[in-house]
Amino acid sequence: MKLVLYPNGDNSRNGDGYISLYLVMADTTGFPPGWEINAIFKLFVHDQLQDKYLTIGDGRLKRFSAIKNKWGFPQMLSLSIFNNASNGYLIGDSCVFGVEVFVIKNEGKVEHFSMIKDPSDGAFTWEVQKFSELTAEFYYSPVYLAGRHQWKLKLFPNGNTKQRGKHLSLYLGLDDHTKFHAGWKLFVEFTLRIRDQVRSDHHEKTSEFTSFSYY
């Protein structure tokens, strides 16, 4: 696969005044007739001032084929925003684009793919009592249901591995993974949050499209 950039916009798809960026199958020679590749992807533009990425993607499965081998966004980012150096995307006449691709493999088996966006039952709160008295290496939260799956949190009060004695470590775990077939995968975007009970200045970390699997 390769990225195709229209620096002045793809006019054929109403991209005038925007940066247009697409993901394209680069070489399909040797592919069997009727080939198809299913993938989920996200495109990135690097903010060089803050060292972070603007992420563009709808999280939906895209089907690449001989009929349609290009997917992307004709209006990815307006040129007025991109060309403004204070936004960090174009610095010293250079810019950085990227892509993250998840390919859904087809091995001749019937596969099912579905996307649950912002499930209504996605929030869970775990109140840990008497934290100063926790002596074990780690603790599990009660199991809870979100997005039709069972989850639990794993807490290391004194940190895990290299972070031991330096940081508190917190993980999200899938509790019901063994009921699915081998090769099964689940891609999840989630946020772990530690609440500030005084100022409501909560500390949080977001993980984008983490893969949970069972083999």
Side-chain angles (χ1 to χ4, degrees):
M1 291 184 170
K2 64 182 179 181
L3 290 175
V4 176
L5 171 68
Y6 291 74
N8 294 309
D10 182 2
N11 294 331
S12 66
R13 297 188 60 191
N14 298 319
D16 186 36
Y18 291 85
I19 290 286
S20 302
L21 189 63
Y22 300 92
L23 180 65
V24 181
M25 293 297 302
D27 186 5
T28 60
T29 56
F31 281 25
W35 66 268
E36 290 183 349
I37 295 179
N38 298 319
I40 302 171
F41 67 91
K42 294 182 292 183
L43 300 175
F44 303 93
V45 186
H46 188 210
D47 179 343
Q48 301 173 66
L49 295 180
Q50 301 187 57
D51 193 23
K52 63 181 184 180
Y53 292 87
L54 171 67
T55 304
I56 306 294
D58 57 14
R60 296 179 181 177
L61 185 71
K62 306 298 184 185
R63 179 171 297 171
F64 293 82
S65 66
I67 298 175
K68 184 174 178 60
N69 70 340
K70 180 175 74 173
W71 289 91
F73 302 92
Q75 298 182 356
M76 181 176 180
L77 183 65
S78 72
L79 287 173
S80 60
I81 294 176
F82 178 78
N83 291 324
N84 189 336
S86 65
N87 292 320
Y89 301 122
L90 185 63
I91 301 294
D93 203 28
S94 68
C95 53
V96 179
F97 297 94
V99 63
E100 184 177 45
V101 183
F102 298 96
V103 176
I104 311 301
K105 294 182 179 179
N106 187 346
E107 299 175 348
K109 300 178 181 179
V110 177
E111 297 188 357
H112 175 71
F113 177 87
S114 61
M115 175 67 71
I116 302 174
K117 191 172 181 63
D118 298 329
S120 58
D121 58 353
F124 170 73
T125 300
W126 181 23
E127 184 175 350
V128 180
Q129 300 287 343
K130 298 182 179 179
F131 184 86
S132 62
E133 299 179 12
L134 301 181
T135 57
E137 181 182 2
F138 60 83
Y139 295 84
Y140 286 108
S141 74
V143 175
Y144 67 97
L145 183 69
R148 300 199 300 264
H149 295 284
Q150 293 179 346
W151 307 87
K152 61 185 176 183
L153 298 176
K154 187 175 184 180
L155 170 68
F156 290 79
N158 294 306
N160 185 29
T161 60
K162 293 182 180 180
Q163 306 305 324
R164 188 166 297 162
K166 300 178 182 179
H167 299 276
L168 177 147
S169 300
L170 185 63
Y171 300 88
L172 176 67
L174 187 61
D175 190 66
D176 58 356
H177 65 278
T178 57
K179 75 178 185 180
F180 301 102
H181 62 77
W184 170 89
K185 286 187 178 182
L186 178 67
F187 295 99
V188 179
E189 182 181 57
F190 62 91
T191 298
L192 295 176
R193 181 180 297 111
I194 301 177
R195 289 187 172 178
D196 183 334
Q197 302 178 64
V198 178
R199 300 184 301 273
S200 297
D201 184 17
H202 311 313
H203 181 75
E204 63 182 41
K205 294 287 185 180
T206 297
S207 176
E208 295 186 347
F209 288 104
T210 297
S211 173
F212 293 83
S213 59
Y214 175 52
Y215 293 94

